[in-house]
Amino acid sequence: MIIAIDGPAASGKGTIGKRLAAHYGLRHLDTGLLYRAVGKSVLDAGKTPDDRKAAIAAAQSLDLTRFDEATLKGAEAGEAASHVSAIPEVRAALVNYQRAFAAEKPGAVLDGRDIGTVICPDADVKIFVTAAPEVRATRRGNEYRAAGKAVDDATVLADIRKRDERDSSRAASPLRQADDAVLLDTTAMGVEEAVAAAIRIVEARR
Ligand code: C5P
């Protein structure tokens, strides 16, 4: 079984993806980490994320073992990721890895922006997870604070709005709900409620 989960930043798709994978005994890939690793590689090389040549080179020689997840999950890597991810050659360099991951037995849950539309258009179940921007900003702010970083929700909200706009308006694989995806709005849901709703969607679809 392949489950494709897409949605904007801090919508809950990562948590839901992890929990669905555990529930069904599937492997899980947070594809945002790939773009974050490319973004971080470009910054580490002393270049800006808009440097196409540097970003393409980083994507084509990506070694995921070089990074720890905490660094990749930070705001700096996220911001860089949303720039490099608009470059078609960067996306192309990461397609095979994602499809190979999805194809391995016993199946997988992938979460990102274009899983249901581009990476796994034939996924057994597609879920598009969303939530109001203010709620997503509060969740992301709480994550940063739990990790010991001082942030205010207004700054996080502004960043999230900018990132949504960039991800939705780019020409290459923009963030968009696949026609056959089920919408899951987690605005008024806690984690357990959202996971239960996602399981109900999978049960109804598979
Ligand atoms: O999901 P996450 O916030 O970790 O993703 C970071 C950035 O990577 C997103 O803002 C988006 O620009 C990019 N991304 C993407 N396609 C994916 C996953 C992430 O373009 N499948």
Side-chain angles (χ1 to χ4, degrees):
M1 174 159 69
I2 296 175
I3 302 176
I5 306 180
D6 292 301
S11 55
K13 62 186 188 305
T15 304
I16 290 171
K18 217 176 281 170
R19 291 283 299 271
L20 283 182
H23 185 82
Y24 289 105
L26 304 170
R27 293 160 321 117
H28 174 234
L29 180 63
D30 170 357
T31 65
L33 289 177
L34 306 178
Y35 295 91
R36 286 168 178 268
V38 174
K40 187 70 174 73
S41 302
V42 171
L43 296 177
D44 287 349
K47 314 274 186 178
T48 65
D50 285 325
D51 187 324
R52 291 179 56 90
K53 259 179 86 173
I56 294 166
Q60 289 174 346
S61 62
L62 194 63
D63 174 10
L64 280 173
T65 61
R66 267 192 51 228
F67 306 92
D68 69 279
E69 196 166 327
T71 306
L72 293 184
K73 282 290 183 188
E76 189 193 44
E79 173 66 17
S82 85
H83 286 272
V84 300
S85 66
I87 303 168
E89 293 90 339
V90 167
R91 306 199 69 85
L94 302 176
V95 167
N96 286 345
Y97 178 85
Q98 295 172 83
R99 288 197 180 137
F101 187 96
E104 249 179 71
K105 295 254 175 290
V109 180
L110 284 78
D111 71 76
R113 301 292 186 291
D114 63 339
I115 308 303
T117 51
V118 175
I119 301 296
C120 302
D122 297 326
D124 301 282
V125 184
K126 300 181 185 179
I127 306 176
F128 193 85
V129 185
T130 189
E134 293 77 10
V135 170
R136 293 190 279 121
T138 304
R139 287 177 188 161
R140 191 46 57 87
N142 287 341
E143 274 169 28
Y144 287 149
R145 282 186 286 273
K149 280 175 228 147
V151 287
D152 66 279
D153 285 356
T155 307
V156 180
L157 177 58
D159 285 351
I160 277 187
R161 286 196 194 279
K162 238 191 307 172
R163 210 126 76 71
D164 286 355
E165 167 60 21
R166 220 178 282 137
D167 288 345
S168 307
S169 64
R170 69 182 177 221
S173 306
L175 170 65
R176 150 177 113 63
Q177 182 179 347
D179 295 334
D180 51 352
V182 178
L183 182 68
L184 175 56
D185 187 334
T186 66
T187 301
M189 293 181 182
V191 171
E192 296 308 324
E193 206 179 333
V195 170
I199 290 173
R200 281 197 298 275
I201 292 170
V202 175
E203 291 302 317
R205 286 257 155 171
R206 73 177 178 146

